[in-house]
Amino acid sequence: MAQLPTLFLEKMISKKLKEQGIVATKALPGKIAKQILSRNSEPFRYKTPKHSGNITLSFTEADADEISKAIDLFCEKELPQLLPNIACRVSKKILKDLKSRWANEHTLQDADLSEFRKRLEGRWGKPLGQLRMLLTMAREWGQAVHTRQKFTKTGGKTLLKDILMRLHVRACQVTDEIICLLENGFADGAMARWRTLHEIGVVAAVISRHGEDIAKRYLAHQAIESKHAMNKYLSCCGLLGYKPLSARDVKKITKAYDAAIAKYGKRFDADYGWATHHLNKKRVTFSDLQAEAGRAEMRSYYQMGNENVHAGVKSMFIRLGLLDYDGLLAGRSNVGLMEPGQNTAHTLTQLSVIVCLSRPNLDDLVIAYMMRMLRDEIPRSFGHAHSQLCKDDKRYSNPRRRPYRQ
């Protein structure tokens, strides 16, 4: 774009040379154009075998207008058509160059990430270590209870125990994901995963409270969810270019759905239809489940988790990973680990006690007390690390030099 005036002036010079019958070399018009635009008052000399002697070129206002109009026309009509082709050609060359240099860049990024993790561990290592310990206790306790139920003849495995154990296993996996996000500086992502952990804990508490019958309904609700998923898939598979489900699969899913509705009633056809009977409501919301589970006090934190899952406007401005919300965060930060960390400890402990302490022996009671004591230590450890971070932040007058940002 910067060369457009030179190019169009060069074209005008070629035209004027031709009008004088001068056969110019290919480079001559460009040399003259650069001489003119540079406003160099020195004489312009150019040796060419095709012409000898002086050349006089005169430019009028009409010539200037012609060049200006030509540039405008080019920018308006031709340039929009040229740019996509130019961009495509250039992008291939640049991408090829980036690929050739990516190995070195990846090594540098790995080194930066390693140093970031070291700094984060140095600041949050104690509470993160306690959270890892809590997860290990929950896993091993769950494994011991599962094994005992499997091989015990009296009071052995039931559907209720199986559902609760499956919820506990999933909770352990989600907790591991939360720890992974915290270790890598993604506090907002960890809060979003805690939201899922909270949902698992609430469902487990409700099912545990109402027993075997609601566990059967919870399992049977799989037919409702399958039918809803099938309807959504059939409505968009054509737009996606995917094959629709076979008539046999549609019939099988529909049959299971109809059987569930016939057995449990129309209210069963809802997101939490498995809980409508025991909560005595036509339609159950997650807020109802939280209240039934005794977890209503976590609604504000749950909403915070929702904001990190959805694209609401608040999530664009309020980020756990920032001490001040004036900035923008596009990656990792070692700020904001306190809320998701302490919430995870609280929820995992509650769920483990619900699932593993139904028919306790001495070992179960010991582990339960250990988890509760460790759970109570974790918020204090996270709070201390957060307070220290805030103190350190005040020492730096220049926000760009804060040590907690990568």
Side-chain angles (χ1 to χ4, degrees), residues 274-303:
W274 53 271
T276 53
H277 174 74
H278 292 83
L279 271 64
N280 195 25
K281 289 180 176 288
K282 290 184 178 180
R283 192 172 189 86
V284 172
T285 65
F286 187 69
S287 293
D288 296 327
L289 293 180
Q290 287 183 112
E292 185 71 11
R295 306 288 189 271
E297 74 279 2
M298 303 303 288
R299 285 176 181 171
S300 61
Y301 278 121
Y302 181 71
Q303 181 58 38

Side-chain angles (χ1 to χ4, degrees), residues 96 102 105-106 110 122 129 137-138 150 153 157 165 187 217 220 225 246 253 276 287 297 315 356 361-362 399:
K96 184 178 179 180
W102 176 247
E105 176 64 23
H106 180 61
D110 270 353
M137 293 167 66
K150 187 176 181 181
K153 293 182 180 179
K157 193 174 182 180
M165 184 55 66
R217 290 170 180 267
E225 295 178 7
S246 66
I253 293 171
T276 53
S287 293
E297 74 279 2
S315 66
C356 300
N361 59 24
L362 180 59

Side-chain angles (χ1 to χ4, degrees), residues 146-165:
H146 175 68
T147 302
R148 190 166 70 231
Q149 291 175 355
K150 187 176 181 181
F151 294 102
T152 302
K153 293 182 180 179
T154 57
K157 193 174 182 180
T158 63
L159 179 61
L160 174 62
K161 292 179 180 178
D162 182 59
I163 293 295
L164 289 176
M165 184 55 66

Side-chain angles (χ1 to χ4, degrees), residues 299-406:
R299 285 176 181 171
S300 61
Y301 278 121
Y302 181 71
Q303 181 58 38
M304 186 185 296
N306 287 338
E307 289 162 1
N308 286 302
V309 171
H310 305 299
V313 64
K314 192 173 181 181
S315 66
M316 303 298 106
F317 295 92
I318 309 299
R319 310 302 295 160
L320 288 174
L322 291 172
L323 278 179
D324 59 85
Y325 298 139
D326 293 332
L328 295 172
L329 181 63
R332 305 166 194 268
S333 167
N334 68 3
V335 177
L337 276 63
M338 181 175 67
E339 286 84 356
Q342 65 186 20
N343 287 5
T344 299
H346 184 73
T347 304
L348 181 64
T349 302
Q350 285 184 327
L351 197 151
S352 296
V353 169
I354 287 172
V355 174
C356 300
L357 209 60
S358 58
R359 294 175 63 89
N361 59 24
L362 180 59
D363 290 343
D364 294 332
L365 292 173
V366 170
I367 297 173
Y369 280 117
M370 288 168 58
M371 289 192 68
R372 286 177 59 185
M373 287 187 288
L374 187 57
R375 176 204 64 186
D376 292 341
E377 292 177 12
I378 288 174
R380 291 194 293 270
S381 297
F382 271 109
H384 177 74
H386 177 75
S387 297
Q388 188 60 47
L389 185 147
C390 292
K391 291 178 182 177
D392 292 343
D393 178 71
K394 292 180 180 179
R395 298 178 188 175
Y396 293 83
S397 58
N398 184 356
R400 295 181 181 179
R401 298 189 62 186
R402 288 173 181 162
Y404 55 83
R405 293 210 179 105
Q406 186 178 9

